[in-house]
Amino acid sequence: MTQPIWITPSGSLGVIQESLVYLNSVEATDADPLTYTVIAGVLPPGLQFLNTGEIIGVPFSVNQDTTSRFTVRAKTTVTPYRLADRTFSITITGNIGKGTADIWFFI
């Protein structure tokens, strides 16, 4: 039997602005249903990983651009279990030094 085949390329899943809603997913394919688990590393604080492969949440504020790396396992839900691992990263970027400014209106 063959292992699940990853559809989502390894590497970066993007650069995300802090405090904005994020929704993305990773995907592999197999003849049998798959479930996904983070087996190493961590997602950025504020994001959560669902066993469907979806990544959702609002990343927390950061003082500097921060990259999180994590490895996901795609595993069949029926025996004999087959699995395949892939490593991804997500970078959270903040507003520090990005030219943001307060705007005041006087009437």
Side-chain angles (χ1 to χ4, degrees):
M1 298 220 168
T2 62
Q3 306 299 351
I5 298 170
W6 279 99
I7 295 170
T8 307
S10 62
S12 177
L13 294 177
V15 177
I16 309 162
Q17 178 68 42
E18 67 182 16
S19 304
L20 294 180
V21 174
Y22 179 75
L23 173 61
N24 201 348
S25 62
V26 297
E27 184 179 8
T29 186
D30 192 87
D32 293 317
L34 295 169
T35 187
Y36 302 86
T37 308
V38 174
I39 61 166
V42 294
L43 272 71
L47 298 183
Q48 72 175 343
F49 189 88
L50 305 179
N51 66 2
T52 58
E54 292 177 297
I55 302 168
I56 61 171
V58 178
F60 294 171
S61 295
V62 293
N63 292 326
Q64 62 185 17
D65 292 358
T66 305
T67 299
S68 296
R69 289 177 179 75
F70 53 96
T71 301
V72 175
R73 174 166 289 164
K75 179 180 171 184
T76 57
T77 59
V78 296
T79 56
Y81 297 118
R82 295 178 310 284
L83 53 92
D85 300 339
R86 184 152 283 187
T87 301
F88 302 100
S89 66
I90 296 175
T91 299
I92 307 301
T93 186
N95 284 322
I96 304 300
K98 303 284 193 250
T100 59
D102 292 330
I103 299 174
W104 296 83
F105 290 96
F106 298 96
I107 299 178

